[in-house]
Amino acid sequence: TTGQPDPLRNQMAVFWLRETTEAAVDGDTIGIEAALLALQALGYDTRDLPAAVNAYKRRFRGSEGTELDARDAGILYNLLKN
């Protein structure tokens, strides 16, 4: 990605995350499509998705990891819906 916000990608990510968040149960992981769209919409380089997820988790959760869960879906949704 170029690092520039993409309004259409942002709208698609918000849709995916809204659906994911509404159906999520604590401990569930979110799908690759939702993670990819959300992180791209926030400007993360997702060519190495595990590294992008880890960078997101360090910044917004204060932890490390390569999977996004229901809590992450909620955080990403709130970041993108504004």
Side-chain angles (χ1 to χ4, degrees):
T1 64
T2 64
Q4 298 298 316
D6 178 345
L8 180 57
R9 187 172 301 282
N10 189 350
Q11 288 177 326
M12 292 184 326
V14 168
F15 171 78
W16 273 94
L17 290 168
R18 182 178 61 237
E19 297 298 314
T20 301
T21 302
E22 289 173 356
V25 176
D26 282 342
D28 284 354
T29 58
I30 67 173
I32 189 78
E33 297 90 1
L36 186 65
L37 287 171
L39 293 172
Q40 285 175 343
L42 290 171
Y44 285 92
D45 180 354
T46 57
R47 289 177 287 185
D48 182 353
L49 188 55
V53 170
N54 198 37
Y56 153 80
K57 284 185 123 4
R58 281 194 311 266
R59 180 171 182 192
F60 292 102
R61 297 271 310 260
S63 64
E64 293 193 8
T66 58
E67 290 188 350
L68 299 173
D69 59 22
R71 184 171 176 207
D72 293 309
I75 292 168
L76 290 166
Y77 174 72
N78 284 316
L79 287 169
L80 291 171
K81 74 176 184 176
N82 295 324

